[in-house]
Amino acid sequence: MTLAVLRLRWGFAVLCQLSHGPQHPTGVAAAVNAGIARNRDLTGRRSLSEKVLWDTLHRLVDVGLVIHQPRPGQFASTARCSLTPAGHALLAALVPVGDWATDHEGRLVVIVRRRRGLLEGQ
């Protein structure tokens, strides 16, 4: 089930950003896109669009990982999103995966750069 939830391309990035506390959706997108820009050689030209952000947030709300709290009578973009206890628990469960990725980061970066044609010896 967890892997089915995380099949979303942007779901993990959104969950990680919301782990810093409640945020407006536009702030989530800005932070995710800033992270992508810092690693452009690895991430390519993609970015988190507004439509994809809202689709991702709706899916994460539907599976119970995120709470979307609109303000009465306000536009949806003024709402704040936050992780549910299940969202926090999922991120905690993924800590070993993050540790593994950190331990193997050098090798993973080389693999990604080679696949993108950014290293010699492809």
Side-chain angles (χ1 to χ4, degrees), residues 61-105:
V61 167
D62 287 345
V63 297
L65 299 174
V66 171
I67 296 170
H68 180 254
Q69 301 162 322
R71 295 180 184 172
Q74 298 283 327
F75 291 106
S77 61
T78 64
R80 293 179 70 80
C81 296
S82 59
L83 293 180
T84 64
H88 284 288
L90 175 59
L91 287 179
L94 292 173
V95 167
V97 175
D99 292 343
W100 178 89
T102 299
D103 291 346
H104 296 87
E105 181 177 11

Side-chain angles (χ1 to χ4, degrees), residues 4-18:
V5 168
L6 291 179
R7 73 168 167 54
L8 306 170
R9 172 177 277 196
W10 298 101
F12 187 67
V14 169
L15 290 172
C16 287
Q17 185 56 38
L18 289 175

